[in-house]
Amino acid sequence: MRRVLTIAGSDSGGGAGIQADLKTFCAFGVYGMTAITAVTAQNTKGVDAIFPLPPSMVARQIESIMEDIGVDAVKTGMLFSEDIIRAVAQALCRWPVEYLVVDPVMVAKSKAVLLEERAIRTLVQELLPLAHVVTPNLEEASVLAGFPVQNLRDMEDAARRIREKGPRYVLVKGGHLPGNEVTDVLFDGKDFTYFSGPRIETPNTHGTGCTYSAAICALLALGYAVEEAVAEARRYMELVITHALPLGGGFGPTNHLAPLFLRAGLDPQEGGRCW
């Protein structure tokens, strides 16, 4: 079984972060492991509190996994602080991995800040050069590229600018653009690949960025090429958003195991036994 590590924050509401990543790994049949960077108190309405772990503890979690179990692919999510980013980068330099997916999480859907402003430079200088794929949304791409990303041409320009900072592939996600179609742009330093599909109208999209990057990471571990991994991850995202769960009073979570429930002939929103 392929081994996949997520380095991210814990979401007490279960829809994003470590919890979303593990559910996604299960859906793809890979063995998921975690290095928790911060504990959050949050629900579908927002983030109430963030408690970052000591950077040494984050690094030790990574090292413990590497020393014994090993990994086939790694993804990062919420890293929160400059010191945690540096500790993660140093650990990944000591234990190099072929496939590192960096989801540059900066702000939650509730607008809670998940990455300190002074940490952005450290993310760019120390982590992006290690990345196989980086997956910014429009807001994150704007910060990383240094200009507003407001249309498809901007997405292409941002992908070029971000790739100059070191990652092998840049996937700029277009979900925040208006319109009935959602287009993501993948850049490998030479060519652009475009992935488009109909917008699914639902407020229940908490954790979509975490889930998307976790799916790409799992598929890379399974041997998919990057273009194939993104295409397959998008198909997965269409299912988990279509069957998203109307829980709580804010942005409900996606339904990470919807494909398995459907295959078992069960209602994805009801769940239940499927083994």
Side-chain angles (χ1 to χ4, degrees):
M1 180 176 285
R2 301 288 90 185
R3 306 153 299 172
V4 184
L5 168 64
T6 171
I7 306 169
S10 170
D11 173 6
S12 58
I18 289 286
Q19 287 82 350
D21 293 345
L22 287 177
K23 293 172 189 177
T24 303
F25 295 161
C26 287
F28 282 93
V30 298
Y31 183 73
M33 299 164 287
T34 66
I36 298 175
T37 59
V39 175
T40 70
Q42 65 175 293
N43 52 34
T44 65
K45 295 181 179 181
V47 180
D48 296 322
I50 298 174
F51 181 81
L53 271 67
S56 60
M57 182 58 183
V58 177
R60 192 68 195 109
Q61 292 175 80
I62 298 169
E63 291 164 358
S64 291
I65 291 165
M66 297 292 194
E67 289 169 353
D68 178 36
I69 302 170
V71 301
D72 297 296
V74 177
K75 70 150 285 189
T76 64
M78 172 188 172
L79 299 177
F80 189 68
S81 75
E82 181 180 14
D83 289 341
I84 290 176
I85 293 171
R86 185 166 290 115
V88 169
Q90 290 173 352
L92 293 177
C93 284
R94 287 193 295 273
W95 301 90
V97 294
E98 183 175 1
Y99 301 117
L100 171 64
V101 178
V102 173
D103 182 9
V105 176
M106 296 181 184
V107 179
K109 279 192 171 58
S110 63
K111 302 305 178 184
V113 175
L114 303 179
L115 181 66
E116 295 176 339
E117 187 173 351
R118 65 178 181 271
I120 294 172
R121 178 177 295 183
T122 306
L123 177 77
V124 169
Q125 293 179 344
E126 300 198 23
L127 197 59
L128 289 195
L130 304 178
H132 195 69
V133 186
V134 59
T135 63
N137 60 27
L138 296 185
E139 186 172 358
E140 294 156 353
S142 298
V143 172
L144 295 175
F147 57 82
V149 180
Q150 300 175 329
N151 53 48
L152 184 61
R153 178 64 179 273
D154 290 343
M155 292 169 67
E156 295 169 345
D157 291 342
R160 290 190 186 96
R161 183 74 61 85
I162 295 168
R163 193 180 183 279
E164 292 173 356
K165 302 179 189 302
R168 183 170 179 186
Y169 292 85
V170 179
L171 178 68
V172 180
K173 301 175 294 187
H176 292 166
L177 287 180
N180 296 323
E181 192 169 76
V182 175
T183 298
D184 299 336
V185 176
L186 180 70
F187 183 56
D188 64 1
K190 180 181 179 182
D191 298 315
F192 289 100
T193 306
Y194 304 89
F195 303 86
S196 297
R199 183 179 302 279
I200 302 166
E201 295 297 339
T202 175
N204 302 315
T205 55
H206 179 54
T208 48
C210 303
T211 301
Y212 193 7
S213 58
I216 293 170
C217 188
L219 287 159
L220 291 176
L222 289 167
Y224 285 65
V226 173
E227 293 84 354
E228 297 170 334
V230 173
E232 188 66 25
R234 278 185 58 104
R235 285 190 284 271
Y236 170 74
M237 293 305 297
E238 289 176 5
L239 278 177
V240 302
I241 295 173
T242 297
H243 298 284
L245 301 170
L247 301 175
F251 298 102
T254 58
N255 193 341
H256 301 89
L257 299 184
L260 304 186
F261 290 132
L262 289 168
R263 185 171 296 180
L266 299 172
D267 182 342
Q269 294 201 352
E270 291 294 329
R273 292 180 60 184
C274 61
W275 58 84

